[in-house]
Amino acid sequence: MTDALPLTHPLLVASLPEDGLTLKIAPDAATRAALAKDFGIPGIPAVKAEVTLRPERGGTVHVTGHVDAVVTQTCVVTLEDFDSPVSEEIDLRFAPEDQIPEIRPGAEIDVTELDLPDPLVDGTIDAGAVVAEFLALGLDPYPRKPGAEFKGPAEPGPEETSPFAALGRLRGKDDEDSN
């Protein structure tokens, strides 16, 4: 059983105009709430994206665009929720599965030279899923509220850093217990 994607806008590649198609995507509040739940964050107050799909030779499609959002995340220092902007460029290619070279498990590959396209699924591209993917990639994995500073424990003095200092404290406690 597969879960439905919260943000979806499938497009049949065969129906794309020769000069391409540009979409503006702005999900409603319910869709943003479902995306936030999927991403494990408190909320997504705003998302807007512009995506252009341009057919190329051989059945490939070049997808470019931009996604801008405001997301609510929890600060890793203060544990308070705060809003922060996300801005990501979209640039990827899709191709029919038979045009994507097969990579065998365990084979050595140079990922710096290998820019494989994503496979077309049933001849479609889900522009909504592309927007959601790039929005997720733009999330800060360790969000920090502006101005939040981590203050660790005070540095121990030289007498406390000695391994014998702990033994001395224990010995002093034993002396107190015997009285």
Side-chain angles (χ1 to χ4, degrees), residues 73-82 141-152:
Q73 291 188 278
T74 303
C75 177
V76 295
V77 176
T78 65
L79 301 180
E80 296 172 329
D81 290 347
F82 71 102
Y142 303 103
R144 187 176 288 213
K145 186 176 180 177
E149 287 186 35
F150 176 72
K151 294 182 180 164

Side-chain angles (χ1 to χ4, degrees), residues 9 11-12 15-23 50-55 62 64:
H9 192 102
L11 297 163
L12 190 59
S15 68
L16 291 175
E18 212 173 281
D19 58 343
L21 174 69
T22 299
L23 302 168
E50 186 170 290
V51 181
T52 301
L53 296 90
R54 282 202 173 76
H62 190 193
T64 58

Side-chain angles (χ1 to χ4, degrees), residues 97-173:
E97 286 189 53
D98 61 352
Q99 292 183 14
I100 300 173
E102 181 181 342
I103 299 176
R104 285 177 268 183
E108 283 191 35
I109 58 171
D110 184 359
V111 294
T112 59
E113 293 182 15
L114 193 61
D115 188 19
L116 293 177
D118 287 11
L120 290 170
V121 177
D122 298 327
T124 63
I125 295 173
D126 190 339
V130 168
V131 168
E133 178 182 340
F134 278 84
L135 175 58
L137 289 171
L139 294 177
D140 185 348
Y142 303 103
R144 187 176 288 213
K145 186 176 180 177
E149 287 186 35
F150 176 72
K151 294 182 180 164
E155 289 291 321
E159 66 282 347
E160 295 173 355
T161 57
S162 163
F164 298 105
L167 291 173
R169 284 192 299 273
L170 287 174
R171 186 167 188 219
K173 187 176 183 179

